[in-house]
Amino acid sequence: DATPISAAAADADEEARAQSVNVPTSLDEVLIQAQTDFAAAAAMGVKRLRVEILTPGLNEQIESRFPFDAGMLVECALRLSAAIAPLKTTLLMDSPGTAAMAQ
């Protein structure tokens, strides 16, 4: 059975394949695209969301070339939560140090 999130993701994936897709070329473009999708999911009533942004500095698969950037992670998390500002959000970080930096 598909969850609302997986169904929405499948619909979005199908729509993206049907149209030409603009691949973001900067972190700002990535965040604008993610904020739009994040706000749309929240408007659909989705209660829990996991967002993965795999840019250099946040992508574990290429960390040998681009070291992990905790500051970028915090910036992404804060900008995404701002996209749904009137709603209550809880940001979960991978470590107490990253969480402290976000405050």
Side-chain angles (χ1 to χ4, degrees), residues 47-102:
K47 300 290 183 200
R48 290 184 68 138
L49 232 320
R50 177 180 172 159
V51 177
E52 292 188 34
I53 297 176
L54 300 177
T55 63
L58 296 180
N59 186 344
E60 294 175 1
Q61 296 176 359
I62 60 171
E63 280 190 21
S64 61
R65 295 186 339 199
F66 299 96
F68 177 74
D69 186 341
M72 185 187 305
L73 174 64
V74 170
E75 178 186 352
C76 291
L78 294 176
R79 285 181 61 180
L80 288 174
S81 67
I84 57 169
L87 300 177
K88 180 183 178 217
T89 59
T90 301
L91 299 176
L92 303 176
M93 300 294 178
D94 62 343
S95 73
T98 305
M101 184 175 42

Side-chain angles (χ1 to χ4, degrees), residues 1-26:
D1 290 326
T3 64
I5 294 173
S6 64
D11 289 345
D13 187 48
E14 185 176 316
E15 184 178 328
R17 287 187 179 145
Q19 302 174 11
S20 81
V21 177
N22 293 326
V23 176
T25 57
S26 71

